[in-house]
Amino acid sequence: RAPKRRSSPARIYARADDWLVFVSTAEIDAAERSIERRTGDEHVDPPDHGLVSLAARAEPLVPLLAKNYPAVAEALEGASLLDGNATADDRGLDADLAARFTTGADAERARDRMKLLQSVLSHAKGPFALLAKGATVSAVGTSLVVRIRVDPVGLSTILGCVKGQGGC
């Protein structure tokens, strides 16, 4: 039902428990562009490369990662965008991931945290250990770059672990 006055709330936007936006009839179109369609935000497109590619805004992902992957969430704190791609063939797995930060110092801080995580994981067992052993972590300008190269035997082991076939 349409509100009686043009200035009355016609739509309410809610995000979890941290904000509510009351929008009048006069502002519905502008609010929809800004809130629903994110007009004005930098557009996020995955790279057109590889078997799998991804692109995401980092800020909403960090809280989601914090519970199960706190070291990754800590390294990505302050990142704006993530992108990456992966290919797998008879030569193994090649994956490239990048996180963009505001400054080179932030990227270097993230690199140091990821190198620590890589060191810990490379001494573990299972698929994460294989990925960590095949990874190189660097800061390039304002980006954290993680490159993972796994040979065919390692890729086969990782796939076996994912399928629950043991060897992990």
Side-chain angles (χ1 to χ4, degrees):
R1 205 170 68 213
K4 295 183 184 205
R5 292 186 344 215
R6 193 170 140 85
S7 62
S8 298
R11 190 176 288 176
I12 300 171
Y13 290 94
R15 187 184 82 180
D17 62 352
D18 50 339
W19 58 262
L20 290 172
V21 176
F22 295 87
V23 181
S24 70
T25 303
E27 296 298 325
I28 283 180
D29 291 338
E32 184 177 297
R33 277 192 306 274
S34 297
I35 296 170
E36 292 180 20
R37 297 184 191 157
R38 293 185 178 258
T39 303
D41 279 354
E42 185 177 343
H43 189 67
V44 178
D45 274 326
D48 189 16
H49 178 74
L51 179 65
V52 175
S53 61
L54 67 96
R57 289 178 180 83
E59 187 178 337
L61 291 177
V62 171
L64 298 174
L65 293 168
K67 182 179 178 185
N68 294 319
Y69 306 98
V72 174
E74 187 177 307
L76 294 177
E77 192 70 44
S80 58
L81 294 172
L82 299 172
D83 64 46
N85 62 74
T87 59
D89 56 25
D90 61 342
R91 295 170 290 178
L93 170 73
D94 289 331
D96 295 313
L97 302 166
R100 288 189 220 142
F101 292 87
T102 306
T103 67
D106 290 339
E108 290 172 5
R109 177 190 51 81
R111 176 204 58 206
D112 295 343
R113 290 181 175 164
M114 286 304 291
K115 281 191 169 201
L116 179 60
L117 176 61
Q118 176 192 17
S119 174
V120 170
L121 288 175
S122 67
H123 291 90
K125 293 186 180 187
F128 286 120
L130 290 169
L131 292 171
K133 289 174 184 171
T136 57
V137 180
S138 58
V140 178
T142 59
S143 294
L144 163 70
V145 177
V146 179
R147 292 200 165 119
I148 301 170
R149 306 291 182 255
V150 178
D151 66 18
V153 173
L155 179 57
S156 177
T157 302
I158 290 169
L159 292 174
C161 290
V162 170
K163 290 181 179 179
Q165 297 173 345
C168 302

